[in-house]
Structures are given as structure tokens and as C-alpha cells.
Amino acid sequence: MKKALKITGITLLIIFFLLVAIPFAFQGQIKDMVKNFINENLNAKVEFSDVSLSFIRSFPQAHVTVDDLVITNYKPFEGETFATAKNIAFTMSVKELFKSTSEDPIVVNSIAIDEALLTLKTDPLGNNNYDITKEKENAQTAVDSSSGFAFDIEDYKISNSAFTFLDEKSNTQVYISELNHSGNGTFSEEKSQLDTQTAATVSMSIDSTQYLNQNTIKLDALIGMNLKDQTYTFMENKGFINQLPLVFSGYFQQLEDGQDIDITFENPESSFKDFLAVIPEAYSKNIDDVETSGDFKVNGIIKGKITETTIPKLDINISSNNASFKYPDLPKRVDNITINTTIKNTTGNSDDTYVDIKKLNFKIDSDSFKSSAQIRNLTENILVNANIDGTLNLANLTKAYPIELDKQLSGILKGKLNTSFDVNAIETNAYQRIKTAGSASISDFIFSSEDIVNPIQINKADMTFNPGHVSLNSFDAKTGTSDFRATGTIKNLLGFLLSDKKLQGNFNVDSNNFVVSDFMIEDESATENSNKTTSDSESLKIPDFLDCTINANAKTVVYDNLTLKDVTGTLLIKDQEAKLNNLTSNLFNGVLALTGRVSTKTDTPVFDLNLGAEDFDISQSFKGLELLQNLAPIAKVLQGKLNTVIKLQGTLNNKFTPNLNTISGDAFAEVFTTNITQNEAILGKLSNALKFIDFNKLDLKALKTKLDFSDGLVSVKPFNLKYEDIDIVVSGTHNFDKSLNYDVVFNVPAKYLGSDVNQLLGKINDAEVNKLTIPVTANITGSYTNPQVQTDLSSGVSNLTKKLVEIQKEKLLNQGKDKINDLLGGLIGSKKETTKDSTVVKSDTTKKADPLKEGVKDLLGGLLKKRKKKKDSTKN
């Protein structure tokens, strides 16, 4: 006995090792078999990492696994992935492995697919990415095919997979995720039953209309199969849409030109709780403990053919009468709920499908809401006709239903209106086809959004709806520290509310206090501790949903550190760009005028502005405007009035103020000033270098200058100043970093240049020479707070002294020549007298010398000595 057990154990062990080892011998054959099947049947690029064979996993059948399958399309979807799968497993009889390609096809008994991603796509031209099978001449059914695989499936399974259907021609999108599906049946028999279990999450939209959004679908179905007629009958079936149970019966038959469907369905129960079950659980929460009253019924018939030109006829009804519900954790109850809705198609033409909401009414506390609507032409240009009449306290919505909102709603909404429009009219702004009549109002409403910095509190707003536009009769609101009131017209309110259209309109806006930053948006969400909906770190943006003209009138406008008074003008906002027309304001005891534009379309905002200022108080303006401080830093010491015109462009920082190093432009300025208010470092250095000038007494009346600037460098064109009888010319450059490079040229009369010069002037004693001036240049470098001043005063004085000496010499020479001429003339006259009367000229040695002769002698002697010295000096 022991020997028999030993032999049996050894035999089983040998068999086990054979079952493990033999598949390795067939590994190459299996790979070749899969490759041959792919090459013979698919027109696509197919890749996989490995093909393995096991006799143990599905013993006594063979188990074949294809790992990491990827199928990529050829043209016209070249490069797009059609399908991927982590692995696909087949089971089959072992004998199927020993068939040659010339024998009958290999019969597969089961398939298991894990983590598959499948995309079915139809492009606008009608091409399908799933048309990848090769056409064969004299092709037969898969079971009769002379090569490849045939399927005699008893069970199959798809696990953890996803499916996408995209039809660009009809703008239809279906997304199925978390798909788990399994079935058991015998496909080889003419008549059999298929027992299936399915669970998935489904989203579906047609022509931008969302019909399902992450809805959970479950279906347990027993399906009778007649493979000869290709008819599938639903025998015992119960499905769930979210938590709503549905039972259905009928059949589905495959035809040569499409499918024939005849299905009826209904919810087996009639409690209003079934209505809440239709809503996705993420929104309706746990409905087990919700108190409900009244009924809710869903039933329908889908019957007809699906072909290229027809769809089944539809008759689906949803109704509820005098129902109510209350969540146990919420204080409010929703009462008097009435729903009467049908979805119908009586022709089989898809364009004739319509939704008729005869009643959708409810009441919360004393506020009642009534509505009705008809929606037609669902597959093309949707037509809507709706009526709304009611009052809603918005704060009660979250008190009656578990809605999770980023910001708490509040306010009273009242409305009574009728609207009729088609979607294409909204998209193309065809206002003549948008017919809305009625009125609406809202009060005490607080609105928060990522599109604004601070919540907007609407105290009161009244609107009248007219065909093509909405009249804004009154609008009183505040946000941040700003208040504003408005009237005007809105052209496409429905387009703004129902689609991604911009808010178009013309508005007259009045405000007592308007802070510009309160109306800008930022790029990121707010921090948790901020009452703003956006952060302080990102750059401000002009909202891109605005397309409007604003005629503004504000008593006070705050922009950065500026406070503007009595602001009027027109603002055109479109495509994240604001254009300013004739914007005027009182500022710095003068008048400011602005035209130009500001754009935030790019990551870094840009501006291009013309700024005019009249009668600005110089001291105030240069303290308040950083731009003026950088254009003319020395001007802040002046006291008086300023007129200027500045053209500039550049970028804005995240506080919506200019990046000074990026601006460029030019300016013209005219200054009317009386005195200098403070002793700046530059003036101190100039005073030390030029002590004969009192800079507090500069004549600055009607000072005019031009300058241009770019990349932080300001170039000042020459301009003139005056100090008593000294003319001054200033020119040069400075940077916004306060570095300086200026030349100040003083045309200095000689009398200011020291005692030596004045002594020479006294000796010369000539009025014209006293008017003589020399240019003295003061070069100012360094920085505005630490300037360096260098002058050529000493060299100028030296040159002037030399010039005056030469003038004095020339004058003395001219005087000497005149005296010699006089002396010679006198001598000649005396000689003539001697010849006439010799007694006259007799010398009297006892008399004193003639003073005139002595003067001439001294003069001639002096001149000769000087000439001799000059001659001798030339020898050296």
C-alpha cells in the first residue's frame, strides 16, 4: 500500500511538472498563432509585451494570456490609440493548440478582459476608427472561417474597464467608466439564455446638452437569445439609474439595415423617494431617512427601428402630485411638488423628439415657484419656450436640500416672465429670435465667484425683459469698499447665463466711492482666511466675460495710492481690454485727463496712455505720483503749478501699477512756480561750487521742458533758467534708479568771478568789458541722494583773467600811442616857433622839469621796459 501511494505521488508530481513545463515548449507556437491571427484579420498596428500559456490555471483546459495589448490606428486616425488592455485571457481545449492553420479554426470557450480602454470614434467625414478588420473574399461567418479563431463561448468577463464613444458628426459623446460586466451562456446553440450582470458610471451629451452626468447604472438581465433571427429578448430584468429601480421587458433584434426595438419600462414602486433616487447620490446624499409624501411614477415605451434615418418612437412619462420631502438634518421642507413631464417622438424622425414640462412647481415656506417649458428639436438647433412665475428665498435652498456651495447664497429672487429662443440665436447673438417678456427683481443678494475679487452685495436690482434686450431699471450694489448704482441695457443675458457668451450692454454708472482693485480679478483661488475669492499674489485681470460700454460718474475713485475726485468719462471693456475715452478728474488741485487703453490679455498686463495735467499742485503731485518722481525727481522741491502732457506705454505689475523700468514715451511740461520749498542735496552741492548764486532766488517762471524715456532712462532736452543776469541751460539724463548725468551751463558775467577779476575790470573801466560772460559748466553725476558736482569754474576764471590782461595791455598800448602822437605833435610845433623867435626857446637851467615831458618819458620808458622784458622772455 505504501509503495502504491509512493508511485501515485511520484506520478502526480511528474504530471504536475509536465503541466508546468510543457507550455514552454508551445510558447513560440502560441505567439505565432496570435501574430498570424492579427496579420490576417486586422488593419492596425498591434503590440503586446508577451503571450503565455498555462495548463494549470484553467485545468483541464489551456489558458492563453496576451499581456499589455495596444492597438493603434492607421490613416485617417493615424497615431491614435484605438484600444489598450492590461491582459486578455482565453481558455480552450488543449487539442485546439495542435491544430494547423489549414485545419478548422481554433475554438475559444471563454474570454476575460482586464483594464481595457476602448475608444470608438467617428470623424466629421463619417470615417470610423473601428473599421480595422480586413475584408476577405468569400468571407464566411466566424464559426465557419477556414483560419483564425471561432468562438463557442460559455462565459466572458470585462473588469475595471472604460469605454468612450465620440461621434463628431452628430456631436455625441458617451463616457462609460468603472465598467464591470460578465455573462454566462451558450453561443453555439441556436436558442439559449444569457445571464448578465453590469455595473458602470455613464455620462452622455448630445449637441452640448448633458443628458447623463456620472450616473451609476446597474443591470441584472436574463436575455433570451435566438441567434438564427438575431433576436434578444429581455426576460427577467431589473436595472438602476443611480438609486431608481426600473423593470423592463421587450426585445432587441439585429436587422440588415439597423435594429428593431420594442421595450417597455417603469419604476416598480410609486413613492416620491424614487424621484430623489434619480439624482446622483453625490448630490442627493443618503435618502434612506428622508421623509417623503406623494407619488412619483416613471413609465415609457421605446418602439421602432434604429437606422441611418430613423429612431424608435418614444412615449416616456414622469409625474408626481402634491408631493413633499424633508431631509432629517435640514430645517426646511419642500412642499406642493407637482411634476408633469413627457418625452415624446411620434414619427420616428429624430428631429421630432421633444420634452414637454407641463408643470414643475414647488413651495418652500411661503415662497412658491411655478414653471413650465417645451424643448423641441433636440438633435439640431434646440428650441425653448419657457414660463417662470415665482419667488425664491435663495438662502432656503441649502436649508431644504443638501447642496454644497462654495459660498452661501442669500437674497430674494422674484420673477414673472416668458422666454422663447433657439440655441443658435444665443450662440450667434441673433437677438431678433430671442423673445423674452416680463420682469424680475432681486434684493439682498450676495454673489461670489472666481471672476471677482470681493463678493458683490446687490441691495436691489430691477429688470424688464424685452425682445432682444433687458432693461436694467435700477441696480444698487457694493463690493469691498466700493458702492455703485447703474441703469442701462443688457443685450444677451440668456447667452451669458446659459452658455459661455459675454455679458454685453451699455451702462450708466454712478458711485460715491469706487476702488479700482475691488473690480479686478486674480488668477488663483483665495486663501482660506481671506474674504476674497482670489489671492493677493497673482496679477489682476479685467474679467473676460465683459463686453460693455460704461459711462461713469464717480465722486471719488481710488487707484493705488491716488484719490481722484469728480471722475467722469467713458470706459469700453472687451476681450480683457479697457479703453478710456475722455476720462477727466480733479486731482492735486488741478484737472487730469486720460485717454488710451489697458489690456490684460497677456500674462503681463500692458498699457498705452496719454495723460494730460492742468494746474497740478507740484508738491502734491510729485509726492503722490511715483511716475512723476522718476521723470523729474528734482521737481518735488518746487512750489507752484504744473501743466504737462505725457505719452507713455509699458507693462503693469500684479498690483496693476506701472513697471517703471518697462515704460517708454515722451513728455512736455510747463512749470509756473514762485520758489523752492526745500534744500535738496543737488542744490546744496551746486551752492558750494557756485557761491555767487542763491538757488532759492532762481527765476522759474514759465519754465518749459521736453523729455523722452525708455527702459528706465530719461533724456531731458535743453531748457533755460535764469538767476538775475545769469542765463542757465540744463540738459542730460537720469535713470529711474536715481543715477544722474546732467550738464548745467551758467553764462556768468565777469563781475561774479572774484576780486582779481574785479580789480582788472576796475583798471580797464570799460562798460562793454563789464558785460563780458564766460560759460561755466557744472557736471552732475552720482545719485539723486548722493550727487557729485564738478565745475570748470577755476579754468574759466583763469581764461577770463588772461583775456582781461590782454584787453588791459591793448588799452594801455592804445593810450600810449595816443600820448606819443600828442607829444610828437607838440615837439614839431615848438621847433617851428624857435626858428621864428630864437629867444623863446632858450633853456633856463634854473627852471623845473616839464611834467608832461616827464609823463611821456615815464610812459615810453615803461613801454620799452615791458617790450624789452617781453623780448627777453622770448629768448627763453
Side-chain angles (χ1 to χ4, degrees), residues 35 66 92 175 319 385-386 389 487 498 531 604 638 708 773 796 868:
K35 288 180 180 178
V66 180
M92 62 192 72
Y175 300 95
S319 63
N385 189 329
D389 183 4
T487 60
L498 301 180
N531 67 335
T604 302
L638 306 178
D708 56 56
T773 63
K868 184 176 181 181

mmCIF file with all atom_site columns, all heavy atoms in Angstrom, residues 35 66 92 175 319 385-386 389 487 498 531 604 638 708 773 796 868:
data_model
loop_
_atom_site.group_PDB
_atom_site.id
_atom_site.type_symbol
_atom_site.label_atom_id
_atom_site.label_alt_id
_atom_site.label_comp_id
_atom_site.label_asym_id
_atom_site.label_entity_id
_atom_site.label_seq_id
_atom_site.pdbx_PDB_ins_code
_atom_site.Cartn_x
_atom_site.Cartn_y
_atom_site.Cartn_z
_atom_site.occupancy
_atom_site.B_iso_or_equiv
_atom_site.pdbx_formal_charge
_atom_site.auth_seq_id
_atom_site.auth_comp_id
_atom_site.auth_asym_id
_atom_site.auth_atom_id
_atom_site.pdbx_PDB_model_num
ATOM 1   N N   . LYS A 1 35  ? 0.065   36.205  -33.680 1.00 0.00 ? 35  LYS A N   1
ATOM 2   C CA  . LYS A 1 35  ? 0.535   37.130  -34.709 1.00 0.00 ? 35  LYS A CA  1
ATOM 3   C C   . LYS A 1 35  ? -0.143  36.858  -36.040 1.00 0.00 ? 35  LYS A C   1
ATOM 4   O O   . LYS A 1 35  ? -0.548  37.772  -36.759 1.00 0.00 ? 35  LYS A O   1
ATOM 5   C CB  . LYS A 1 35  ? 2.051   37.023  -34.851 1.00 0.00 ? 35  LYS A CB  1
ATOM 6   C CG  . LYS A 1 35  ? 2.822   37.617  -33.682 1.00 0.00 ? 35  LYS A CG  1
ATOM 7   C CD  . LYS A 1 35  ? 4.328   37.475  -33.895 1.00 0.00 ? 35  LYS A CD  1
ATOM 8   C CE  . LYS A 1 35  ? 5.100   38.073  -32.728 1.00 0.00 ? 35  LYS A CE  1
ATOM 9   N NZ  . LYS A 1 35  ? 6.567   37.916  -32.890 1.00 0.00 ? 35  LYS A NZ  1
ATOM 10  N N   . VAL A 1 66  ? -2.630  37.222  -23.314 1.00 0.00 ? 66  VAL A N   1
ATOM 11  C CA  . VAL A 1 66  ? -1.905  38.262  -24.068 1.00 0.00 ? 66  VAL A CA  1
ATOM 12  C C   . VAL A 1 66  ? -1.771  39.463  -23.147 1.00 0.00 ? 66  VAL A C   1
ATOM 13  O O   . VAL A 1 66  ? -2.772  40.015  -22.669 1.00 0.00 ? 66  VAL A O   1
ATOM 14  C CB  . VAL A 1 66  ? -2.654  38.644  -25.354 1.00 0.00 ? 66  VAL A CB  1
ATOM 15  C CG1 . VAL A 1 66  ? -1.883  39.731  -26.107 1.00 0.00 ? 66  VAL A CG1 1
ATOM 16  C CG2 . VAL A 1 66  ? -2.861  37.421  -26.241 1.00 0.00 ? 66  VAL A CG2 1
ATOM 17  N N   . MET A 1 92  ? -9.387  27.333  -23.817 1.00 0.00 ? 92  MET A N   1
ATOM 18  C CA  . MET A 1 92  ? -9.762  26.462  -24.932 1.00 0.00 ? 92  MET A CA  1
ATOM 19  C C   . MET A 1 92  ? -9.292  25.049  -24.621 1.00 0.00 ? 92  MET A C   1
ATOM 20  O O   . MET A 1 92  ? -8.464  24.830  -23.722 1.00 0.00 ? 92  MET A O   1
ATOM 21  C CB  . MET A 1 92  ? -9.115  26.968  -26.225 1.00 0.00 ? 92  MET A CB  1
ATOM 22  C CG  . MET A 1 92  ? -7.587  26.963  -26.190 1.00 0.00 ? 92  MET A CG  1
ATOM 23  S SD  . MET A 1 92  ? -6.846  27.850  -27.553 1.00 0.00 ? 92  MET A SD  1
ATOM 24  C CE  . MET A 1 92  ? -7.216  29.533  -27.065 1.00 0.00 ? 92  MET A CE  1
ATOM 25  N N   . TYR A 1 175 ? -19.375 58.476  -22.292 1.00 0.00 ? 175 TYR A N   1
ATOM 26  C CA  . TYR A 1 175 ? -18.241 58.025  -21.496 1.00 0.00 ? 175 TYR A CA  1
ATOM 27  C C   . TYR A 1 175 ? -18.743 57.011  -20.471 1.00 0.00 ? 175 TYR A C   1
ATOM 28  O O   . TYR A 1 175 ? -19.617 57.322  -19.660 1.00 0.00 ? 175 TYR A O   1
ATOM 29  C CB  . TYR A 1 175 ? -17.572 59.195  -20.771 1.00 0.00 ? 175 TYR A CB  1
ATOM 30  C CG  . TYR A 1 175 ? -17.042 60.268  -21.687 1.00 0.00 ? 175 TYR A CG  1
ATOM 31  C CD1 . TYR A 1 175 ? -17.799 61.400  -21.978 1.00 0.00 ? 175 TYR A CD1 1
ATOM 32  C CD2 . TYR A 1 175 ? -15.788 60.146  -22.279 1.00 0.00 ? 175 TYR A CD2 1
ATOM 33  C CE1 . TYR A 1 175 ? -17.324 62.383  -22.826 1.00 0.00 ? 175 TYR A CE1 1
ATOM 34  C CE2 . TYR A 1 175 ? -15.300 61.124  -23.126 1.00 0.00 ? 175 TYR A CE2 1
ATOM 35  C CZ  . TYR A 1 175 ? -16.071 62.242  -23.399 1.00 0.00 ? 175 TYR A CZ  1
ATOM 36  O OH  . TYR A 1 175 ? -15.593 63.214  -24.235 1.00 0.00 ? 175 TYR A OH  1
ATOM 37  N N   . SER A 1 319 ? -44.273 61.775  -13.626 1.00 0.00 ? 319 SER A N   1
ATOM 38  C CA  . SER A 1 319 ? -45.328 62.538  -12.951 1.00 0.00 ? 319 SER A CA  1
ATOM 39  C C   . SER A 1 319 ? -45.207 62.411  -11.441 1.00 0.00 ? 319 SER A C   1
ATOM 40  O O   . SER A 1 319 ? -44.720 61.413  -10.912 1.00 0.00 ? 319 SER A O   1
ATOM 41  C CB  . SER A 1 319 ? -46.711 62.058  -13.407 1.00 0.00 ? 319 SER A CB  1
ATOM 42  O OG  . SER A 1 319 ? -46.911 60.710  -13.032 1.00 0.00 ? 319 SER A OG  1
ATOM 43  N N   . ASN A 1 385 ? -39.257 77.153  -25.151 1.00 0.00 ? 385 ASN A N   1
ATOM 44  C CA  . ASN A 1 385 ? -40.312 78.087  -24.785 1.00 0.00 ? 385 ASN A CA  1
ATOM 45  C C   . ASN A 1 385 ? -40.638 77.825  -23.321 1.00 0.00 ? 385 ASN A C   1
ATOM 46  O O   . ASN A 1 385 ? -41.114 76.745  -22.963 1.00 0.00 ? 385 ASN A O   1
ATOM 47  C CB  . ASN A 1 385 ? -41.548 77.884  -25.669 1.00 0.00 ? 385 ASN A CB  1
ATOM 48  C CG  . ASN A 1 385 ? -42.575 78.989  -25.462 1.00 0.00 ? 385 ASN A CG  1
ATOM 49  O OD1 . ASN A 1 385 ? -42.698 79.539  -24.379 1.00 0.00 ? 385 ASN A OD1 1
ATOM 50  N ND2 . ASN A 1 385 ? -43.322 79.307  -26.516 1.00 0.00 ? 385 ASN A ND2 1
ATOM 51  N N   . ALA A 1 386 ? -40.369 78.791  -22.448 1.00 0.00 ? 386 ALA A N   1
ATOM 52  C CA  . ALA A 1 386 ? -40.490 78.550  -21.007 1.00 0.00 ? 386 ALA A CA  1
ATOM 53  C C   . ALA A 1 386 ? -41.228 79.690  -20.329 1.00 0.00 ? 386 ALA A C   1
ATOM 54  O O   . ALA A 1 386 ? -41.174 80.848  -20.778 1.00 0.00 ? 386 ALA A O   1
ATOM 55  C CB  . ALA A 1 386 ? -39.107 78.386  -20.385 1.00 0.00 ? 386 ALA A CB  1
ATOM 56  N N   . ASP A 1 389 ? -42.763 81.826  -12.978 1.00 0.00 ? 389 ASP A N   1
ATOM 57  C CA  . ASP A 1 389 ? -43.522 82.738  -12.126 1.00 0.00 ? 389 ASP A CA  1
ATOM 58  C C   . ASP A 1 389 ? -43.311 82.303  -10.680 1.00 0.00 ? 389 ASP A C   1
ATOM 59  O O   . ASP A 1 389 ? -43.746 81.222  -10.284 1.00 0.00 ? 389 ASP A O   1
ATOM 60  C CB  . ASP A 1 389 ? -45.011 82.689  -12.483 1.00 0.00 ? 389 ASP A CB  1
ATOM 61  C CG  . ASP A 1 389 ? -45.825 83.692  -11.656 1.00 0.00 ? 389 ASP A CG  1
ATOM 62  O OD1 . ASP A 1 389 ? -45.208 84.455  -10.887 1.00 0.00 ? 389 ASP A OD1 1
ATOM 63  O OD2 . ASP A 1 389 ? -47.061 83.705  -11.786 1.00 0.00 ? 389 ASP A OD2 1
ATOM 64  N N   . THR A 1 487 ? -27.879 101.963 -14.362 1.00 0.00 ? 487 THR A N   1
ATOM 65  C CA  . THR A 1 487 ? -29.021 101.738 -15.245 1.00 0.00 ? 487 THR A CA  1
ATOM 66  C C   . THR A 1 487 ? -28.459 101.439 -16.625 1.00 0.00 ? 487 THR A C   1
ATOM 67  O O   . THR A 1 487 ? -27.286 101.715 -16.910 1.00 0.00 ? 487 THR A O   1
ATOM 68  C CB  . THR A 1 487 ? -29.941 102.963 -15.307 1.00 0.00 ? 487 THR A CB  1
ATOM 69  O OG1 . THR A 1 487 ? -29.182 104.084 -15.805 1.00 0.00 ? 487 THR A OG1 1
ATOM 70  C CG2 . THR A 1 487 ? -30.514 103.297 -13.945 1.00 0.00 ? 487 THR A CG2 1
ATOM 71  N N   . LEU A 1 498 ? -26.691 81.021  -19.968 1.00 0.00 ? 498 LEU A N   1
ATOM 72  C CA  . LEU A 1 498 ? -26.869 79.650  -20.436 1.00 0.00 ? 498 LEU A CA  1
ATOM 73  C C   . LEU A 1 498 ? -25.694 79.117  -21.232 1.00 0.00 ? 498 LEU A C   1
ATOM 74  O O   . LEU A 1 498 ? -25.629 77.916  -21.502 1.00 0.00 ? 498 LEU A O   1
ATOM 75  C CB  . LEU A 1 498 ? -28.144 79.552  -21.300 1.00 0.00 ? 498 LEU A CB  1
ATOM 76  C CG  . LEU A 1 498 ? -29.458 79.959  -20.605 1.00 0.00 ? 498 LEU A CG  1
ATOM 77  C CD1 . LEU A 1 498 ? -30.616 79.817  -21.579 1.00 0.00 ? 498 LEU A CD1 1
ATOM 78  C CD2 . LEU A 1 498 ? -29.696 79.129  -19.354 1.00 0.00 ? 498 LEU A CD2 1
ATOM 79  N N   . ASN A 1 531 ? -11.569 86.949  2.807   1.00 0.00 ? 531 ASN A N   1
ATOM 80  C CA  . ASN A 1 531 ? -12.937 87.049  2.326   1.00 0.00 ? 531 ASN A CA  1
ATOM 81  C C   . ASN A 1 531 ? -12.982 87.237  0.825   1.00 0.00 ? 531 ASN A C   1
ATOM 82  O O   . ASN A 1 531 ? -14.039 87.289  0.222   1.00 0.00 ? 531 ASN A O   1
ATOM 83  C CB  . ASN A 1 531 ? -13.663 88.219  3.009   1.00 0.00 ? 531 ASN A CB  1
ATOM 84  C CG  . ASN A 1 531 ? -13.085 89.565  2.593   1.00 0.00 ? 531 ASN A CG  1
ATOM 85  O OD1 . ASN A 1 531 ? -11.937 89.655  2.200   1.00 0.00 ? 531 ASN A OD1 1
ATOM 86  N ND2 . ASN A 1 531 ? -13.881 90.619  2.708   1.00 0.00 ? 531 ASN A ND2 1
ATOM 87  N N   . THR A 1 604 ? 1.354   89.274  -18.732 1.00 0.00 ? 604 THR A N   1
ATOM 88  C CA  . THR A 1 604 ? 1.736   90.550  -18.116 1.00 0.00 ? 604 THR A CA  1
ATOM 89  C C   . THR A 1 604 ? 0.884   91.655  -18.720 1.00 0.00 ? 604 THR A C   1
ATOM 90  O O   . THR A 1 604 ? 0.945   91.888  -19.926 1.00 0.00 ? 604 THR A O   1
ATOM 91  C CB  . THR A 1 604 ? 3.225   90.852  -18.353 1.00 0.00 ? 604 THR A CB  1
ATOM 92  O OG1 . THR A 1 604 ? 4.017   89.780  -17.819 1.00 0.00 ? 604 THR A OG1 1
ATOM 93  C CG2 . THR A 1 604 ? 3.623   92.153  -17.690 1.00 0.00 ? 604 THR A CG2 1
ATOM 94  N N   . LEU A 1 638 ? 9.923   122.145 -5.906  1.00 0.00 ? 638 LEU A N   1
ATOM 95  C CA  . LEU A 1 638 ? 9.299   123.357 -6.403  1.00 0.00 ? 638 LEU A CA  1
ATOM 96  C C   . LEU A 1 638 ? 7.929   123.549 -5.775  1.00 0.00 ? 638 LEU A C   1
ATOM 97  O O   . LEU A 1 638 ? 7.259   122.585 -5.387  1.00 0.00 ? 638 LEU A O   1
ATOM 98  C CB  . LEU A 1 638 ? 9.173   123.307 -7.923  1.00 0.00 ? 638 LEU A CB  1
ATOM 99  C CG  . LEU A 1 638 ? 10.468  123.036 -8.712  1.00 0.00 ? 638 LEU A CG  1
ATOM 100 C CD1 . LEU A 1 638 ? 10.170  122.968 -10.189 1.00 0.00 ? 638 LEU A CD1 1
ATOM 101 C CD2 . LEU A 1 638 ? 11.505  124.101 -8.410  1.00 0.00 ? 638 LEU A CD2 1
ATOM 102 N N   . ASP A 1 708 ? 12.115  112.561 -23.113 1.00 0.00 ? 708 ASP A N   1
ATOM 103 C CA  . ASP A 1 708 ? 11.622  111.244 -23.534 1.00 0.00 ? 708 ASP A CA  1
ATOM 104 C C   . ASP A 1 708 ? 12.268  110.195 -22.641 1.00 0.00 ? 708 ASP A C   1
ATOM 105 O O   . ASP A 1 708 ? 13.290  110.447 -21.995 1.00 0.00 ? 708 ASP A O   1
ATOM 106 C CB  . ASP A 1 708 ? 11.879  110.974 -25.019 1.00 0.00 ? 708 ASP A CB  1
ATOM 107 C CG  . ASP A 1 708 ? 13.349  111.108 -25.404 1.00 0.00 ? 708 ASP A CG  1
ATOM 108 O OD1 . ASP A 1 708 ? 14.170  110.416 -24.773 1.00 0.00 ? 708 ASP A OD1 1
ATOM 109 O OD2 . ASP A 1 708 ? 13.680  111.878 -26.312 1.00 0.00 ? 708 ASP A OD2 1
ATOM 110 N N   . THR A 1 773 ? 30.852  137.690 -20.402 1.00 0.00 ? 773 THR A N   1
ATOM 111 C CA  . THR A 1 773 ? 30.463  136.473 -19.657 1.00 0.00 ? 773 THR A CA  1
ATOM 112 C C   . THR A 1 773 ? 31.295  135.291 -20.138 1.00 0.00 ? 773 THR A C   1
ATOM 113 O O   . THR A 1 773 ? 31.822  135.297 -21.259 1.00 0.00 ? 773 THR A O   1
ATOM 114 C CB  . THR A 1 773 ? 28.984  136.128 -19.870 1.00 0.00 ? 773 THR A CB  1
ATOM 115 O OG1 . THR A 1 773 ? 28.761  135.833 -21.246 1.00 0.00 ? 773 THR A OG1 1
ATOM 116 C CG2 . THR A 1 773 ? 28.078  137.267 -19.442 1.00 0.00 ? 773 THR A CG2 1
ATOM 117 N N   . GLY A 1 796 ? 37.755  128.565 -16.055 1.00 0.00 ? 796 GLY A N   1
ATOM 118 C CA  . GLY A 1 796 ? 37.063  129.677 -16.697 1.00 0.00 ? 796 GLY A CA  1
ATOM 119 C C   . GLY A 1 796 ? 37.572  131.025 -16.188 1.00 0.00 ? 796 GLY A C   1
ATOM 120 O O   . GLY A 1 796 ? 37.767  131.960 -16.962 1.00 0.00 ? 796 GLY A O   1
ATOM 121 N N   . LYS A 1 868 ? 61.018  145.151 -23.682 1.00 0.00 ? 868 LYS A N   1
ATOM 122 C CA  . LYS A 1 868 ? 62.303  144.502 -23.529 1.00 0.00 ? 868 LYS A CA  1
ATOM 123 C C   . LYS A 1 868 ? 62.137  143.204 -22.757 1.00 0.00 ? 868 LYS A C   1
ATOM 124 O O   . LYS A 1 868 ? 62.688  142.170 -23.104 1.00 0.00 ? 868 LYS A O   1
ATOM 125 C CB  . LYS A 1 868 ? 63.284  145.448 -22.831 1.00 0.00 ? 868 LYS A CB  1
ATOM 126 C CG  . LYS A 1 868 ? 64.703  144.859 -22.709 1.00 0.00 ? 868 LYS A CG  1
ATOM 127 C CD  . LYS A 1 868 ? 65.642  145.863 -22.103 1.00 0.00 ? 868 LYS A CD  1
ATOM 128 C CE  . LYS A 1 868 ? 67.040  145.278 -22.001 1.00 0.00 ? 868 LYS A CE  1
ATOM 129 N NZ  . LYS A 1 868 ? 68.004  146.232 -21.394 1.00 0.00 ? 868 LYS A NZ  1
#
